[in-house]
Amino acid sequence: MASSVPWQESLSSGTEAVQDEVIRWYQRTPEGQAYVPDMIWGTLQTQAYATVILGQVVDFLGVPDDVPAGVAKRMQRQQVLYDGEHHYDVVLGEQALFTNIGGPEVMREQIDRILRDIDLPSLTLGIIPASAHVDMLPVHAFNLHGDEVHVELVSSSLNVTEPAELDLYRKAFSRLRDAALYGDEAEELLLKARSFWIGAQRG
């Protein structure tokens, strides 16, 4: 079973309320999995990166502009990485390190943030190289928490709870995780991206 809510409805009062809802979701689910192919997972975003993302959301959807409040809530939600009570298994596509959100300085700071936190006990972070063979058809980003999958579409957010569908998402995540690099190999990809953005800053 799946239920969807149009973004313009859920964001009718701005971005802060939705971020509050996400905080509650994270707090009641101590473990989660996320696949994000082309941007940085929200719970690892820097303040500058999140400001650009939420600004784009407000501009695209024409919803009330409360970006500073929404960003503050997104930063608050990141406390789950440090409270010793949560664990997240996250797979990024290498493209996420190169999608230009806010320019070279914002991206370099974002990569530094990931490098700083990659060894947190609460985080298992894998990165799928751009040229990796993946035993899985290309799929959209998704977050799996407990018995629910959350998917963000262009027009709405979608929550999937049907057990058979959840099993497919779990199977997909397993295959994506198998294609990812971890530890020192993931750090090498991050350092390559960092060098790219430093070069872009100088250029």
Side-chain angles (χ1 to χ4, degrees):
M1 182 176 182
S3 61
S4 65
V5 180
W7 284 121
Q8 289 173 322
E9 177 182 325
S10 61
L11 293 168
S12 61
S13 61
T15 63
E16 184 177 14
V18 169
Q19 293 300 311
D20 259 334
E21 181 180 337
V22 174
I23 289 173
R24 290 191 293 272
W25 186 36
Y26 273 62
Q27 287 174 339
R28 69 175 181 260
T29 53
E31 296 186 1
Q33 298 171 320
Y35 169 61
V36 194
D38 53 12
M39 63 180 286
I40 304 303
W41 182 53
T43 311
L44 277 176
Q45 291 176 7
T46 63
Q47 182 171 332
Y49 189 105
T51 296
V52 176
I53 290 292
L54 292 186
Q56 291 173 335
V57 168
V58 165
D59 176 68
F60 180 71
L61 294 173
V63 296
D65 185 351
D66 68 340
V67 169
V71 170
K73 289 292 184 181
R74 179 161 290 191
M75 296 302 102
Q76 181 182 334
R77 113 185 184 199
Q78 297 183 4
Q79 291 307 307
V80 295
L81 293 174
Y82 310 105
D83 64 11
E85 299 176 358
H86 294 77
H87 184 268
Y88 300 97
D89 193 348
V90 179
V91 173
L92 301 179
E94 186 178 5
Q95 177 58 44
L97 311 181
F98 291 93
T99 301
N100 190 340
I101 303 295
E105 183 175 356
V106 171
M107 290 304 301
R108 193 264 307 159
E109 290 177 351
Q110 178 63 71
I111 301 299
D112 283 344
R113 159 72 192 278
I114 299 172
L115 284 165
R116 185 191 77 204
D117 285 352
I118 193 170
D119 292 324
L120 285 173
S122 62
L123 181 66
T124 301
L125 179 66
I127 302 173
I128 300 177
S131 59
H133 171 74
V134 185
D135 190 21
M136 179 65 204
L137 69 158
V139 294
H140 53 74
F142 60 88
N143 286 270
L144 174 60
H145 289 254
D147 293 325
E148 183 175 2
V149 169
H150 179 72
V151 180
E152 295 187 353
L153 306 175
V154 170
S155 60
S156 61
S157 62
L158 180 68
N159 293 318
V160 179
T161 56
E162 172 62 39
E165 293 187 57
L166 290 174
D167 286 344
L168 283 176
Y169 276 99
R170 294 187 182 104
K171 181 178 180 180
F173 188 81
S174 177
R175 293 189 176 197
L176 293 162
R177 182 172 50 198
D178 286 346
L181 299 180
Y182 291 84
D184 291 344
E185 291 178 307
E187 286 193 31
E188 287 180 15
L189 293 177
L190 287 161
L191 290 170
K192 181 179 78 171
R194 186 179 190 276
S195 295
F196 173 84
W197 291 115
I198 289 173
Q201 277 184 273
R202 292 172 179 164

